[in-house]
Amino acid sequence: MRATRSLPLALTMTFALTACGGSALSGDGGDGGGDDGSVKIALLVPQSGVYAPLGKDMEAGFRLFLEENEDQLGGKDVELTVVDEGAGPEDGVPAGTKLAQDDSVDAVVGVVNSATALGLTDAFDEAKKPLIIANAGADSITGEESSKYVWRTSFSNGEVGGAIGKHVAEEVGDGKVYLVGPDYAAGEEFLAGFKKSFEGAGGQVAGTQMTPFGKTTNFQPYLQKVRNAKPKAVFAFYAGSEAVTFVKQYDKLGLHDEIPFYGTGFLTEGGALKAQGKSAEGIFTSLHYSSALDNETNTDFVAAYEEGNEVPPTTYSVQAYDAGQVLDGALEEGTSGDDIVAGLKDTGEIDSPRGPWSFSDNQGPDQTYYLRKVEQQDGAWTNAVEDELTQPSS
Ligand code: PHB
């Protein structure tokens, strides 16, 4: 087992990295890292669409790790290229497939959207190239049927929803809860994970509405239906700009004062929370990170991140930072797909800002989920950590 990493604080190095936004790779005709002791990593994150802010956080997290490690991973100089995942699978799958097939790229990190990730796994499996998913939570990506080349440093959707189900059931007693989310893979899986653990703990669902993903700017007709059902609470998954709009319109319709609001932590994360402000006050969410987490690694990480970015880090930043941590170890084995996978299998406990975690047999993190509550502290809105959540046994 590799030794636990500690977090160095080399904060002010200038970037010696390449960042080609959105475009195809320059194609140096080489066959990836190795010969000159370098390694080529592509970061595939959204630079457009409702999830563009998430991509920005991930890029900042990955770059911070490189900055603290002399722009190296596994002792090899990193050539980094940033490619746009776009708004959904129609953009992300072709962009990712191109990277899977590009012999000059040694490994790919990123992918926000579950539908995009699901559309990419076969291409990476066929190319025998590691894909380190640093967000997309599609449940089936890591599991019995998964590719040995596809790893994840984030979460699986069902787990995030499932983590808070029992707590909500206990809070609402015999009342019913209404579920809302975007109508694609992630929305369905977050709500299904919640429903399973909520109903398992005796909860009852009042109704479910799936809103068109990436296209809905007026949530009022959906929220009106929620109000008409008179639920005791609401549970929602939204992220990025959809999270901002949904939470603000929930408040504008007066529901904020009427119906307690629960969600997955993406609802109130980072820039979304800043934009929501008071309209998010008191929302309870489940997530595996909060910038308010009280541990030494996180304190150092938040300070380093804020110095470079002037905003606190998010769960997206941490997932990408940790992708840097695991690749740093794995690339010591070599730069071929099979070398990197052998190295990933040997990853020990990661000393992460989210708390220590390690890969489970399904190539995703075995980690703690937290109950968070939106509060204002020292003039800034934050996700205060209330408790740890127990994952229901499936
Ligand atoms: C996903 O599509 O898996 C997804 C997108 C945004 C999030 C979380 C999950 O914040």
Side-chain angles (χ1 to χ4, degrees):
M1 295 287 255
R2 196 167 282 118
T4 301
R5 294 197 54 90
S6 62
L7 187 71
L9 279 176
L11 308 178
T12 50
M13 292 185 59
T14 48
F15 294 120
L17 303 167
T18 320
C20 327
S23 58
L25 297 174
S26 51
D28 56 27
D31 53 357
D35 300 354
D36 60 352
S38 69
V39 62
K40 189 157 180 173
I41 307 290
L43 195 58
L44 178 64
V45 290
Q47 295 173 321
S48 50
V50 293
Y51 292 156
L54 286 49
K56 221 171 155 193
D57 293 355
M58 287 164 78
E59 184 176 344
F62 195 73
R63 285 191 183 278
L64 176 61
F65 184 81
L66 293 176
E67 201 182 319
E68 290 174 342
N69 290 276
E70 297 172 0
D71 299 337
Q72 291 191 336
L73 289 174
K76 297 164 180 67
D77 290 337
V78 173
E79 188 185 341
L80 183 69
T81 182
V82 184
V83 175
D84 188 7
E85 180 188 331
E90 62 286 359
D91 304 314
V93 172
T97 304
K98 201 164 172 185
L99 293 172
Q101 292 167 353
D102 185 329
D103 287 343
S104 76
V105 174
D106 297 298
V108 175
V109 174
V111 189
V112 162
N113 186 301
S114 277
T116 302
L118 288 166
L120 281 176
T121 51
D122 284 354
F124 280 85
D125 192 59
E126 274 157 31
K128 299 188 184 343
K129 184 172 295 183
L131 169 63
I132 318 292
I133 296 181
N135 186 67
D139 290 337
S140 64
I141 281 178
T142 48
E144 277 169 23
E145 314 264 289
S146 64
S147 163
K148 71 175 201 172
Y149 297 96
V150 180
W151 293 66
R152 180 150 63 191
T153 57
S154 49
F155 55 86
S156 71
N157 295 333
E159 273 182 15
V160 188
I164 197 173
K166 183 164 173 272
H167 172 79
V168 179
E170 285 163 1
E171 291 295 308
V172 300
D174 57 7
K176 293 188 176 177
V177 172
Y178 210 107
L179 316 183
V180 197
D183 68 347
Y184 79 104
E188 279 151 25
E189 291 182 352
F190 283 119
L191 298 194
F194 171 82
K195 189 166 179 252
K196 193 169 169 209
S197 72
F198 174 68
E199 290 183 338
Q204 289 179 67
V205 172
T208 305
Q209 283 187 85
M210 308 303 291
T211 58
F213 170 64
K215 297 184 195 92
T216 312
T217 49
N218 179 12
F219 288 98
Q220 299 209 13
Y222 304 97
L223 289 168
Q224 201 53 55
K225 281 196 191 146
V226 171
R227 168 178 269 155
N228 295 346
K230 298 193 174 30
K232 189 97 175 271
V234 166
F235 176 81
F237 159 71
Y238 285 104
S241 60
E242 283 195 328
V244 177
T245 316
F246 187 83
V247 168
K248 282 185 141 180
Q249 293 182 4
Y250 192 89
D251 183 39
K252 201 165 168 217
L253 269 192
L255 298 183
H256 187 262
D257 298 328
E258 265 176 40
I259 311 173
F261 195 174
Y262 297 88
T264 59
F266 312 106
L267 191 69
T268 59
E269 197 57 2
L273 179 57
K274 201 168 176 205
Q276 291 154 352
K278 197 167 170 48
S279 64
E281 188 169 22
I283 297 179
F284 282 96
T285 62
S286 55
L287 206 60
H288 47 291
Y289 179 69
S290 162
S291 59
L293 263 181
D294 185 15
N295 69 59
E296 209 181 313
T297 307
N298 190 44
T299 305
D300 292 347
F301 175 73
V302 170
Y305 190 94
E306 285 183 342
E307 182 153 331
N309 299 283
E310 286 166 12
V311 288
T314 62
T315 197
Y316 310 110
S317 332
V318 172
Q319 292 162 176
Y321 183 89
D322 285 355
Q325 296 217 54
V326 302
L327 271 176
D328 188 36
L331 279 159
E332 280 173 18
E333 298 279 333
T335 54
S336 76
D338 287 320
D339 289 343
I340 297 172
V341 166
L344 287 168
K345 283 191 178 144
D346 260 358
T347 306
E349 187 174 87
I350 297 294
D351 179 16
S352 169
R354 72 182 92 171
W357 65 270
S358 43
F359 281 121
S360 66
D361 290 345
N362 72 12
Q363 299 170 195
D366 191 354
Q367 62 190 344
T368 303
Y369 286 87
Y370 304 97
L371 178 68
R372 320 174 327 158
K373 182 183 181 193
V374 174
E375 284 178 6
Q376 198 172 32
Q377 286 176 6
D378 303 324
W381 292 98
T382 186
N383 289 290
V385 179
E386 298 276 297
D387 212 345
E388 290 186 5
L389 292 162
T390 351
Q391 199 58 236
S393 43
S394 50

